[in-house]
Short mmCIF file of all heavy atoms in Angstrom, two decimals:
data_model
loop_
_atom_site.label_atom_id
_atom_site.label_comp_id
_atom_site.label_asym_id
_atom_site.label_seq_id
_atom_site.Cartn_x
_atom_site.Cartn_y
_atom_site.Cartn_z
N LEU N 3 99.50 87.94 92.80
CA LEU N 3 100.92 88.29 92.93
C LEU N 3 101.11 89.81 93.01
O LEU N 3 101.86 90.30 93.86
CB LEU N 3 101.71 87.71 91.76
CG LEU N 3 103.21 88.01 91.74
CD1 LEU N 3 103.90 87.43 92.97
CD2 LEU N 3 103.83 87.46 90.47
N GLU N 57 94.40 77.90 103.00
CA GLU N 57 94.49 78.03 101.54
C GLU N 57 94.99 79.42 101.14
O GLU N 57 95.87 79.55 100.28
CB GLU N 57 93.12 77.78 100.91
CG GLU N 57 93.12 77.86 99.40
CD GLU N 57 91.74 77.64 98.81
OE1 GLU N 57 90.84 77.14 99.51
OE2 GLU N 57 91.56 77.99 97.63
N ALA N 59 96.79 81.46 102.97
CA ALA N 59 98.20 81.57 103.38
C ALA N 59 99.10 80.86 102.37
O ALA N 59 100.20 81.34 102.07
CB ALA N 59 98.39 80.99 104.77
N GLY N 60 98.64 79.75 101.84
CA GLY N 60 99.40 79.04 100.82
C GLY N 60 99.58 79.87 99.56
O GLY N 60 100.65 79.87 98.95
N LEU N 61 98.54 80.59 99.18
CA LEU N 61 98.64 81.49 98.02
C LEU N 61 99.67 82.58 98.27
O LEU N 61 100.49 82.88 97.39
CB LEU N 61 97.28 82.13 97.72
CG LEU N 61 96.21 81.22 97.15
CD1 LEU N 61 94.87 81.96 97.11
CD2 LEU N 61 96.59 80.75 95.76
N VAL N 62 99.64 83.16 99.45
CA VAL N 62 100.61 84.20 99.78
C VAL N 62 102.02 83.62 99.79
O VAL N 62 102.95 84.22 99.24
CB VAL N 62 100.28 84.87 101.14
CG1 VAL N 62 101.38 85.85 101.55
CG2 VAL N 62 98.94 85.58 101.07
N ALA N 63 102.20 82.45 100.36
CA ALA N 63 103.52 81.82 100.39
C ALA N 63 104.06 81.58 98.98
O ALA N 63 105.24 81.82 98.72
CB ALA N 63 103.45 80.51 101.17
N ARG N 64 103.20 81.13 98.09
CA ARG N 64 103.64 80.92 96.70
C ARG N 64 104.00 82.24 96.02
O ARG N 64 104.96 82.32 95.25
CB ARG N 64 102.57 80.16 95.91
CG ARG N 64 102.52 78.69 96.28
CD ARG N 64 101.63 77.87 95.38
NE ARG N 64 100.21 78.11 95.58
CZ ARG N 64 99.47 77.63 96.59
NH1 ARG N 64 100.05 76.87 97.49
NH2 ARG N 64 98.19 77.90 96.69
N CYS N 65 103.26 83.30 96.34
CA CYS N 65 103.59 84.62 95.79
C CYS N 65 104.96 85.08 96.29
O CYS N 65 105.76 85.62 95.52
CB CYS N 65 102.53 85.64 96.17
SG CYS N 65 100.96 85.44 95.32
N VAL N 66 105.24 84.87 97.58
CA VAL N 66 106.53 85.26 98.13
C VAL N 66 107.65 84.52 97.42
O VAL N 66 108.65 85.12 97.02
CB VAL N 66 106.59 84.99 99.65
CG1 VAL N 66 107.99 85.25 100.19
CG2 VAL N 66 105.58 85.81 100.39
N THR N 67 107.47 83.24 97.21
CA THR N 67 108.47 82.43 96.53
C THR N 67 108.69 82.96 95.10
O THR N 67 109.83 83.06 94.63
CB THR N 67 108.04 80.95 96.48
OG1 THR N 67 107.86 80.51 97.83
CG2 THR N 67 109.08 80.09 95.79
N THR N 68 107.63 83.31 94.42
CA THR N 68 107.74 83.86 93.07
C THR N 68 108.48 85.18 93.07
O THR N 68 109.28 85.45 92.16
CB THR N 68 106.33 84.05 92.45
OG1 THR N 68 105.68 82.78 92.42
CG2 THR N 68 106.40 84.64 91.06
N LEU N 69 108.26 86.01 94.08
CA LEU N 69 108.92 87.32 94.15
C LEU N 69 110.41 87.21 94.44
O LEU N 69 111.16 88.13 94.17
CB LEU N 69 108.25 88.19 95.22
CG LEU N 69 106.84 88.65 94.90
CD1 LEU N 69 106.20 89.29 96.13
CD2 LEU N 69 106.84 89.62 93.73
#
Side-chain angles (χ1 to χ4, degrees):
L3 179 61
E57 181 181 344
L61 289 171
V62 174
R64 285 189 288 282
C65 288
V66 174
T67 302
T68 301
L69 291 170

